[in-house]
């Protein structure tokens, strides 16, 4: 017997959407051969096996559950994804461009970024001699700057363990501009509604929002309130071949939630942002130096969340990578977080990568999180530990790019 209720209709609509999207994807792939590479299918498959001691099953535990062995789902060395990227020459130095990028969990095949089909990016744009313009869901200037200032990147053991917003710094309903003139760079994004995905949860917890950086319960555009769920990011800097320096401003606003009685929340932690006056602002200064086979990168990120009271954090990070041979890369990074309520911690990460080919690599990572008595940051981003834990993590992974 078939149910004719809302849930059934929702499932049918989802199936129709998936079928239509897959049909479009197949058509775009078939165009690759006809359009002389104007449409490119690309991706990363990256999965690892992670061991961590002093693991907890949920936040707030007072005693650890023991050690844990898990296959990675969010990220190992890099998040797994596939995408379609296109470019068409229009003449006069102008090009039409687009990108559709899907993030998925390699251990289950499930969708990431709030269960979205193209949750990593979905935009169309125009390249011009005066800069690049894009419209749609896209990464913002915080993410772009981070890629140039950390040697570890968005790995399981990384700055994501201290601030989960950083590897998820992207916005819905966004317009962007990025230009580089003789190595001087200027860019910005404006989102009229930073997140259009629902994070369902118990009404008694977080105003009905389940903690999920990929879906923060902040609706897209709110009628009558142009600043609700608005996000603005800006970047200015110098990207030279040997060294670079950059400054980033990132301001995201709260607003009414998508669920009855719910509100939006800060993607860096479950702090409610109940209206457009409540916000989180980040200031980042970071840079890099390239010395032959050695790369030095680092920076500082100050975050201030303004609600009924102010909550502030500071993250300091620095690292180096070295290639002793063309097929071997060694990297290490040290970071520290300090907060208003003294939840402070130090994190140490090392990674060794062996390139089996240009596209395939194997690697191992070692992470150590040193929490003080108030802090409970897990060495593995997205996992949990207990307050005061001195936690170790070991990761073995395999990566394939195409």
């Amino acid at each position: 017997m078939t149910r004719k209720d809302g849930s059934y209709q929702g499932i049918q609509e989802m199936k129709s959407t998936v079928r239509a999207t897959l049909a479009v994807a197949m058509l775009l792939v078939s165009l690759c051969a006809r359009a002389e590479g104007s449409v490119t299918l690309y991706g990363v498959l990256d999965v690892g096996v992670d061991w961590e001691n002093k693991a907890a099953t949920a936040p707030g535990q007072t005693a650890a559950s023991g050690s844990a062995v898990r296959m990675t789902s969010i990220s190992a060395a890099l998040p797994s994804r596939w995408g379609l990227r296109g470019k068409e020459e229009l003449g006069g130095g102008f090009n039409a461009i687009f990108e559709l990028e899907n993030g998925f969990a390699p251990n289950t095949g499930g969708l990431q970024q709030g269960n979205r089909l193209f949750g990593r990016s979905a935009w169309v744009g125009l390249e011009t001699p005066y800069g690049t313009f894009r419209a749609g869901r896209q990464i913002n200037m915080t993410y772009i700057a981070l890629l140039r200032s950390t040697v570890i990147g968005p790995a399981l053991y990384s700055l994501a363990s201290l601030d989960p917003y950083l590897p998820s710094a992207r916005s819905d309903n966004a317009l962007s501009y990025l230009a580089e003139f003789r190595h001087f760079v200027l860019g910005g994004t404006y989102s009229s509604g930073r997140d259009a995905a629902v994070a369902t949860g118990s009404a008694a917890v977080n105003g009905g929002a389940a903690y999920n950086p990929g879906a923060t319960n902040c609706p897209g555009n709110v009628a009558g309130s142009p600043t609700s769920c608005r996000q603005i990011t800006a970047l200015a800097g110098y990207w030279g071949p040997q060294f670079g320096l950059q400054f980033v401003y990132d301001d995201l606003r709260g607003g009414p939630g998508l669920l009855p009685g719910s509100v939006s929340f800060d993607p860096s932690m479950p702090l409610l942002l109940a209206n457009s006056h409540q916000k989180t602002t980040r200031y980042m200064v970071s840079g890099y130096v390239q010395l032959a086979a050695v790369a030095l990168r680092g920076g500082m990120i100050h975050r201030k969340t303004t609600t009924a009271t102010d909550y502030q954090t500071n993250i300091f990070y620095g690292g180096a990578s070295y290639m002793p041979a063309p097929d071997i890369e060694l990297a290490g990074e040290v970071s520290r977080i300090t907060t208003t309520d003294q939840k402070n911690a130090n994190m140490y990460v090392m990674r060794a990568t062996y390139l089996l080919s240009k596209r395939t690599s194997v690697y191992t990572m070692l992470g150590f999180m040193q929490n003080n008595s108030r802090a409970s940051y897990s060495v593995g981003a997205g996992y949990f530990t207990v307050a005061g834990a001195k936690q170790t993590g070991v990761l073995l992974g395999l990566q394939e790019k195409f």
Side-chain angles (χ1 to χ4, degrees):
M1 181 176 179
T2 303
R3 292 173 54 195
K4 298 295 184 180
D5 58 10
S7 62
Y8 173 79
Q9 293 177 359
I11 292 173
Q12 291 298 100
E13 291 174 358
M14 182 180 69
K15 288 182 177 179
S16 298
T17 301
V18 171
R19 290 194 188 104
T21 306
L22 290 176
V24 172
M26 291 175 65
L27 175 61
L28 289 173
V29 173
S30 70
L31 291 175
C32 291
R34 303 181 185 180
E36 298 182 355
S38 63
V39 178
T40 302
L41 173 66
Y42 66 93
V44 177
L45 281 166
D46 192 327
V47 65
V49 177
D50 164 58
W51 173 89
E52 296 175 23
N53 69 344
K54 299 182 181 179
T57 58
Q61 282 186 209
T62 57
S65 302
S67 61
V69 178
R70 296 165 289 215
M71 183 170 286
T72 57
S73 60
I74 300 175
S75 180
L78 289 174
S80 294
R81 70 263 194 168
W82 67 272
L84 295 164
R85 188 177 291 136
K87 182 174 183 178
E88 180 186 6
E89 294 185 6
L90 303 177
F94 288 78
N95 299 293
I97 54 177
F98 76 86
E99 184 176 276
L100 298 170
E101 189 169 281
N102 166 272
F104 62 92
N107 62 329
T108 65
L111 299 177
Q112 299 282 21
Q113 288 80 45
N115 200 38
R116 310 181 210 214
L117 184 58
F118 293 114
R120 291 185 60 85
S121 64
W123 54 261
V124 63
L126 189 66
E127 289 181 343
T128 79
Y130 316 102
T132 300
F133 301 84
R134 296 185 177 97
R137 176 168 172 81
Q138 55 193 292
I139 60 175
N140 61 38
M141 298 300 131
T142 300
Y143 191 99
I144 291 173
L146 192 68
L147 292 179
R148 288 181 174 267
S149 62
T150 172
V151 297
I152 295 298
L156 182 65
Y157 311 153
S158 69
L159 294 177
S161 299
L162 304 178
D163 185 348
Y165 166 76
L166 295 175
S168 305
R170 49 179 57 86
S171 307
D172 292 345
N173 306 296
L175 299 172
S176 73
Y177 170 76
L178 184 64
E180 187 175 353
F181 304 100
R182 296 183 178 181
H183 304 308
F184 289 95
V185 62
L186 184 67
T189 63
Y190 177 87
S191 169
S192 58
R194 61 181 170 87
D195 187 18
V198 178
T200 59
S202 170
V205 179
N206 296 333
Y211 178 39
N212 180 348
T216 60
N217 213 42
C218 206
N221 300 285
V222 180
S225 181
T227 57
S228 287
C229 297
R230 186 188 70 186
Q231 184 168 21
I232 297 173
T233 70
L235 165 69
Y238 176 83
W239 291 348
Q242 303 301 323
F243 70 92
L245 181 66
Q246 53 199 0
F247 303 89
V248 172
Y249 170 81
D250 186 329
D251 181 270
L252 61 88
R253 302 281 179 139
L258 289 173
L259 302 175
S262 71
V263 297
S264 65
F265 64 96
D266 184 336
S268 43
M269 61 178 60
L271 292 175
L272 301 182
L273 301 176
N275 57 61
S276 61
H277 300 293
Q278 299 182 352
K279 63 180 182 178
T280 291
T281 304
R282 284 178 179 80
Y283 304 90
M284 175 195 292
V285 56
S286 59
Y288 61 89
V289 176
Q290 187 70 44
L291 303 171
V294 177
L296 306 175
R297 302 177 185 237
M300 179 266 189
I301 305 170
H302 173 72
R303 183 186 76 200
K304 179 179 180 181
T305 298
T306 303
T307 55
T309 59
D310 288 343
Y311 185 80
Q312 300 185 44
T313 69
N314 290 297
I315 294 177
F316 306 89
Y317 63 98
S321 65
Y322 172 59
M323 297 194 70
D327 56 356
I328 298 175
E329 182 183 43
L330 306 175
E333 190 166 271
V334 178
S335 53
R336 174 171 174 78
I337 185 170
T338 63
T339 73
T340 301
D341 53 357
Q342 301 299 310
K343 294 180 179 178
N344 305 335
N346 299 323
M347 185 176 185
Y348 309 88
V349 181
M350 293 186 295
R351 181 173 65 200
T353 304
Y354 180 68
L355 303 174
L356 298 173
S357 70
K358 291 182 178 180
R359 298 187 302 176
T360 305
S361 61
V362 293
Y363 58 88
T364 181
M365 294 184 70
L366 175 65
F368 178 70
M369 183 69 75
Q370 184 182 24
N371 289 293
N372 72 358
S373 60
R374 294 172 178 255
S376 56
Y377 305 98
S378 174
V379 69
Y383 297 138
F384 306 104
T385 189
V386 296
K390 307 299 186 287
Q391 189 184 31
T392 300
V394 179
L395 174 66
L396 300 174
L398 174 64
Q399 181 183 111
E400 171 74 16
K401 296 179 179 179
F402 62 89

